[in-house]
Amino acid sequence: ADFILRLSAACARGGVSMLAVDGAGMASLAERLASRDIEATAVLDRVWDWGGEYESHVPAVLAHVPYPLNDYALVRAIWNKPYAHYLLMGHGLRVPHLHILPSLQVEPVVKPVELASIARHISVKGAHSGGSGVLLPVRTWAEIELRRGEWPADETLLQEWIEPRMLGGRRAWFRVFYACGVAYPCWQDDRTHIQQAVAASEERLYGLERLRSIAQQIATLCGLNVFSTEIALDAQNRWVVVDYINEPPDFRLKSTVSNGVPDDIVDAVAERIAAWVKRRGRLR
């Protein structure tokens, strides 16, 4: 809700009209688009990922709104983490070593994997899992079996656990927000998820400009206009994309939740989105 308020304010400043469709308005959205009661240049869809009734409006949006901020088909593709993994790896970006296990429903019993062949510590995720909070590494096959049961219809990903190096007393783990051509890097402690914007002086001191170029490369590969990604600098001084492409990104404000996004970053993202929509409006 705070992000929508910030976006609405940015649109007002930029001369862009905006309609926020809440839960009560979702049921009639498709009909209002089809009847042209609502005419829109662009849409930023923050609900369709819930599926079911929350995505029933998508066909009408595709038929009547020319510029989704993020193309639905492209978003659905990157929700599949193995797809995103091999997309980035195939274009020269370093990603953690990965092993994929079949879903519990497809193959209830799988032969144990030699975990040492992946890494000493393992990160375990579902292939289509969203935010999972602060994850802890696993070391045993029994722990992996337990995690498989949390998403029985989905594949399980065994990913090399990345330990970041230290930069000036901070863990070199970052979340980078990308919005319509501009990247906004933040420090993000991988143990607490506490975020702080990377200062220009820190970019110069530690060579963190690389974060922006990696985010731009990811944007070119995935085709999305708004997303976030997690990038770490490991002990061997290698840049690793550890959590590939997050959409929709979490834009809760740091002023309201301890691990939220710095408010000025959210404001900057909102301004970029408003400007992007204004440019598309001139093309209609």
Side-chain angles (χ1 to χ4, degrees), residues 122-180:
I122 307 294
S123 171
V124 182
K125 303 174 183 176
H128 294 81
S129 65
S132 303
V134 179
L135 297 175
L136 297 175
V138 304
R139 298 176 177 84
T140 68
W141 186 254
E143 292 175 282
I144 292 169
E145 291 282 24
L146 285 174
R147 297 298 299 277
R148 279 184 84 209
E150 294 179 18
W151 41 75
D154 205 1
E155 296 170 309
T156 291
L157 310 183
L158 308 183
Q159 191 182 62
E160 172 191 7
W161 185 271
I162 301 298
E163 185 66 25
R165 64 168 296 185
M166 301 297 292
L167 290 178
R170 295 180 188 241
R171 294 169 71 80
W173 193 288
F174 306 89
R175 180 175 292 278
V176 183
F177 297 90
Y178 182 88
C180 305

Side-chain angles (χ1 to χ4, degrees), residues 20-222:
V21 181
D22 60 14
M26 288 299 300
S28 61
L29 178 58
E31 180 181 342
R32 293 182 69 189
L33 285 169
S35 67
R36 298 197 177 278
D37 180 42
I38 297 175
E39 295 188 63
T41 296
V43 61
L44 175 62
D45 198 330
R46 297 283 297 186
V47 299
W48 81 287
D49 57 304
W50 285 43
E53 64 182 297
Y54 294 99
E55 62 175 337
S56 61
H57 60 283
V58 170
V61 170
L62 289 171
H64 300 289
V65 183
Y67 298 110
L69 258 291
N70 285 334
D71 180 272
Y72 290 104
L74 296 178
V75 173
R76 195 177 293 281
I78 63 93
W79 282 346
N80 184 312
K81 291 183 184 295
Y83 167 81
H85 176 96
Y86 291 112
L87 174 68
L88 303 189
M89 185 175 71
H91 288 83
L93 292 172
R94 183 177 293 277
V95 289
H97 183 64
L98 178 69
H99 186 90
I100 305 172
L101 299 177
S103 73
L104 193 68
Q105 290 181 0
V106 169
E107 199 167 331
V109 179
V110 295
K111 182 180 178 180
V113 174
E114 178 52 55
L115 299 183
S117 66
I118 303 174
R120 191 162 64 93
H121 296 156
I122 307 294
S123 171
V124 182
K125 303 174 183 176
H128 294 81
S129 65
S132 303
V134 179
L135 297 175
L136 297 175
V138 304
R139 298 176 177 84
T140 68
W141 186 254
E143 292 175 282
I144 292 169
E145 291 282 24
L146 285 174
R147 297 298 299 277
R148 279 184 84 209
E150 294 179 18
W151 41 75
D154 205 1
E155 296 170 309
T156 291
L157 310 183
L158 308 183
Q159 191 182 62
E160 172 191 7
W161 185 271
I162 301 298
E163 185 66 25
R165 64 168 296 185
M166 301 297 292
L167 290 178
R170 295 180 188 241
R171 294 169 71 80
W173 193 288
F174 306 89
R175 180 175 292 278
V176 183
F177 297 90
Y178 182 88
C180 305
V182 179
Y184 303 93
C186 294
W187 299 90
Q188 178 182 270
D189 191 300
D190 55 302
R191 300 165 303 181
T192 65
H193 286 195
I194 300 297
Q195 300 177 71
Q196 183 173 336
V198 172
S201 59
E202 293 171 328
E203 285 196 56
R204 294 190 295 269
L205 179 62
Y206 299 121
L208 302 183
E209 300 91 345
R210 179 70 176 127
L211 293 166
R212 296 181 187 272
S213 63
I214 292 174
Q216 184 61 65
Q217 186 177 354
I218 293 173
T220 300
L221 293 172
C222 72

Side-chain angles (χ1 to χ4, degrees), residues 244-263:
Y244 315 121
I245 307 163
N246 298 301
E247 205 289 341
D250 184 348
F251 282 128
R252 291 174 301 157
L253 301 177
K254 188 177 180 69
S255 59
T256 60
V257 293
S258 62
N259 62 351
V261 185
D263 292 32

